[in-house]
């Protein structure tokens, strides 16, 4: 598949992949373009940004922009995709260094996306929140 095909494909895994690429590039406009207007984006209880965010702008301002303020080089590495219809589960890991403490993380995560009509309508994060919080503790 060429980059052009990936950019226009509405296949659920391709839409999710575009989201990761946009996030890694810090391109919030491209990231918002992968999200449905009524998206529900849930960060896990115990995670510093825990909660459910709605609308593409709500997701990027409350999640990605906040991570950028508190962490250096926050990256979600999408390693393995498991696809079942509109459900895409990605086994991944986060790497970053906390700006306040200088402590680094390399933590495994699972992300569950639901993709309809070429847009992400739902996201749920599963992560070892204790490892993230440890890196934030002085």
């Amino acid at each position: 598949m060429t980059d052009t095909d990936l950019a226009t494909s509405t296949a659920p895994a391709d839409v999710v992949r575009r989201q990761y690429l946009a996030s890694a590039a810090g391109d919030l406009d491209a990231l918002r373009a992968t999200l449905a207007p009524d998206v529900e984006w849930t960060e896990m209880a115990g995670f510093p940004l825990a909660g459910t965010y709605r609308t593409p702008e709500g997701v990027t301002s409350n999640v990605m922009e906040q991570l950028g303020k508190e962490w250096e080089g926050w990256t979600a590495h999408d390693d393995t995709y498991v696809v079942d219809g509109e459900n895409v589960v990605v086994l991944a890991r986060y790497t970053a260094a906390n700006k306040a403490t200088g402590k680094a993380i390399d933590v495994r995560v699972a992300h569950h996306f639901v993709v309809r009509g070429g847009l992400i309508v739902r996201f749920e994060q599963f992560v070892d929140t204790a490892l993230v919080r440890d890196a934030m503790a002085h």
Side-chain angles (χ1 to χ4, degrees), residues 118-136:
L119 294 171
I120 296 164
V121 295
R122 207 158 57 244
F123 166 88
E124 187 175 2
Q125 171 204 54
F126 301 88
V127 61
D128 186 337
T129 57
L131 290 178
V132 175
R133 289 194 173 278
D134 286 350
M136 299 174 74

Side-chain angles (χ1 to χ4, degrees), residues 5-127:
D5 294 336
L6 179 64
T8 57
S9 172
T10 58
D14 295 340
V15 174
V16 169
R17 178 69 180 141
R18 278 202 303 276
Q19 182 274 147
Y20 282 105
L21 291 170
S23 179
D27 187 343
L28 297 185
D29 286 337
L31 196 156
R32 283 189 287 268
T34 67
L35 305 177
D38 59 347
V39 65
E40 288 188 4
W41 185 282
T42 302
E43 299 284 313
M44 191 167 176
F47 191 69
L49 303 173
T52 298
Y53 304 97
R54 291 173 175 80
T55 77
E57 293 74 20
V59 170
T60 54
S61 64
N62 289 297
V63 180
M64 290 74 187
E65 290 178 20
Q66 296 308 312
L67 290 171
K69 289 176 186 170
E70 297 176 17
W71 299 87
E72 193 64 48
W74 183 277
T75 306
H77 306 268
D78 50 332
D79 298 332
T80 304
Y81 284 64
V82 181
V83 182
D84 180 15
E86 65 185 13
N87 293 284
V88 180
V89 174
V90 180
L91 305 179
R93 64 190 169 88
Y94 292 147
T95 57
N98 185 265
K99 290 181 180 178
T101 66
K103 294 180 187 173
I105 59 166
D106 186 341
V107 60
R108 295 292 289 163
V109 298
H111 292 156
H112 175 211
F113 296 86
V114 178
V115 180
R116 286 191 197 121
L119 294 171
I120 296 164
V121 295
R122 207 158 57 244
F123 166 88
E124 187 175 2
Q125 171 204 54
F126 301 88
V127 61

